[in-house]
Amino acid sequence: VETTAPFGYELDSTPIPFTIEFAQETQVQLTAQNIIIPGAVELLKVDTNNPDRVLAGAVFKLLDAQGSLLQDKLVTNSEGKIFVDELVPGEYQFVETKAPSRYRLDRTPVDFEIVLGQTETLEVTKTNRRYFPGPPVNPEIPEVPEISETPET
């Protein structure tokens, strides 16, 4: 029975039964497996110029260190947050795939690392710059060219 787990691993106190026969000449080989304690991360999405303004509706994907897609379509909630748990130790990155309304898309990755034995949720922040688009364009109304004030000769 395991009484202490290695650092960063879950204790498994399940008994491992075995039998030793009388006059046995070979050793009993046993295998015990431990499960790594997974880590968690929380991404906070805020306005670049006003960090107190949280941004809901941003969409991210989660990639591992090799760039493989682990999760897609992670959306910030009303508190501007995304929470991901069950991450084994390693390097990861969030990449924004859709910005919140009226904000510029910023595909710069948010790199982070889950370390062995991490027990607290890692907190990372991603900011976005707001933009102010011009008036909406109505495709049914053709644009009228500007008229020059000076006559052409």
Side-chain angles (χ1 to χ4, degrees):
V1 175
E2 181 178 56
T3 58
T4 305
F7 176 76
Y9 289 82
E10 294 180 14
L11 176 68
D12 182 1
S13 59
T14 305
I16 302 172
F18 64 96
T19 304
I20 297 179
E21 307 267 336
F22 180 75
Q24 179 177 326
E25 294 182 14
T26 58
Q27 289 182 341
V28 174
Q29 298 274 332
L30 299 174
T31 302
Q33 294 183 343
N34 286 97
I35 298 171
I36 291 177
I37 297 172
V41 63
E42 182 178 77
L43 176 128
L44 175 63
K45 181 78 166 165
V46 296
D47 183 287
T48 300
N49 296 320
N50 182 359
D52 292 331
R53 179 182 289 148
V54 297
L55 304 177
V59 182
F60 287 83
K61 60 184 174 181
L62 177 64
L63 306 173
D64 65 12
Q66 291 73 39
S68 298
L69 180 65
L70 300 176
Q71 293 187 36
D72 199 14
K73 299 178 184 167
L74 299 166
V75 182
T76 55
N77 63 18
S78 62
E79 296 174 341
K81 296 179 180 180
I82 293 172
F83 177 80
V84 180
D85 60 358
E86 299 299 316
L87 296 172
V88 297
E91 295 179 358
Y92 299 90
Q93 57 183 220
F94 283 112
V95 177
E96 188 174 28
T97 58
K98 182 180 179 209
S101 177
R102 298 183 181 243
Y103 284 83
R104 296 186 187 279
L105 178 64
D106 181 0
R107 295 184 193 269
T108 306
V110 178
D111 298 321
F112 65 95
E113 182 178 5
I114 300 295
V115 296
L116 184 64
Q118 177 178 320
T119 57
E120 295 183 11
T121 299
L122 178 66
E123 296 176 355
V124 296
T125 302
K126 176 70 173 176
T127 62
N128 267 103
R129 195 169 296 283
R130 192 170 186 164
Y131 73 92
F132 300 95
V137 177
N138 186 342
E140 297 176 13
I141 301 173
E143 288 188 28
V144 178
E146 289 186 23
I147 300 174
S148 173
E149 301 228 356
T150 58
E152 293 182 22
T153 55

